[in-house]
Amino acid sequence: MEKTEFRLVPPEEYGALEGEIAALWHSAYDALLGVGQVEYMTQKFQSAEAMRAQAEGENYLYFRILVGGKVCGYCALKPEKEKLFLSKLYLCEDKRGQGLGQSALAIVAEYARRLGLRAVYLTVNKGNARAIRAYEKFGFVRSGEGVTDIGGGYAMDDYFYEYAVLS
């Protein structure tokens, strides 16, 4: 596989990224959560305005994932005091299962290492077996679970995972 790279998305490109995200989320979640919840979540959490607010107010960083110069997904990270929150990692449907996710996770772990953070953590839907397998294959360990009300009559039923970067 060609080299995987992350390219920081500047705020002026959040509008274009919003459209890319909608396609990625629908392919990943429609069967699991239903179209209504996916629409609600993308508008609430991944609209251009939401991304701008996250970047400006909460220190989120959005990256496009590229292979051979072609966009194959996106990632959102939030550096915190001791850990890096892997908020989002989505790949184009035709790139899943080819090792790209493992390459992207290695980039995320290296980024956390360079920042001097001790771990990467994330949440993953309990029904997302493919993502759970990918995270566990990389070395993430389940650290808990929880249900979060996200409004609109919807909830996120997730496992929490963590990957130790520095011991």
Side-chain angles (χ1 to χ4, degrees):
M1 181 184 351
E2 295 180 67
K3 184 179 180 216
T4 303
E5 64 177 298
F6 280 26
R7 185 173 302 150
L8 186 64
V9 179
E12 62 270 14
E13 292 182 22
Y14 289 164
L17 183 59
E18 178 182 342
E20 296 167 23
I21 287 171
L24 290 169
W25 277 46
H26 281 290
S27 75
Y29 283 127
D30 280 0
L32 183 63
L33 302 175
V35 174
Q37 184 168 346
V38 174
E39 288 288 332
Y40 175 81
M41 290 174 67
T42 54
Q43 280 306 303
K44 181 171 177 125
F45 301 116
Q46 296 293 262
S47 67
E49 297 78 25
M51 287 185 277
R52 193 167 286 105
Q54 292 163 5
E56 292 173 1
E58 302 176 61
N59 203 30
Y60 275 78
L61 301 165
Y62 280 87
F63 298 90
R64 283 193 173 95
I65 300 171
L66 297 98
V67 175
K70 181 182 183 288
V71 176
C72 297
Y74 87 107
C75 179
L77 304 174
K78 179 184 176 190
E80 297 177 349
K81 187 176 180 176
E82 295 183 3
K83 300 178 185 180
L84 180 66
F85 178 42
L86 173 54
S87 174
K88 314 282 184 298
L89 177 60
Y90 291 88
L91 303 175
C92 295
E93 193 167 3
D94 66 336
K95 296 296 182 184
R96 296 177 196 150
Q98 300 177 24
L100 177 57
Q102 298 296 299
S103 296
L105 290 171
I107 291 170
V108 170
E110 180 56 30
Y111 185 73
R113 240 182 245 104
R114 283 186 306 189
L115 292 176
L117 302 175
R118 67 176 185 80
V120 176
Y121 75 100
L122 58 86
T123 62
V124 60
N125 183 284
K126 289 179 180 176
N128 194 342
R130 172 178 241 152
I132 290 168
R133 280 192 306 273
Y135 294 132
E136 290 177 348
K137 179 180 178 182
F138 189 80
F140 278 83
V141 175
R142 189 178 303 166
S143 58
E145 61 184 84
V147 177
T148 305
D149 183 340
I150 58 171
Y154 299 112
M156 295 189 302
D157 190 9
D158 294 328
Y159 289 128
F160 309 139
Y161 275 85
E162 189 164 307
Y163 177 79
V165 174
L166 301 175
S167 43

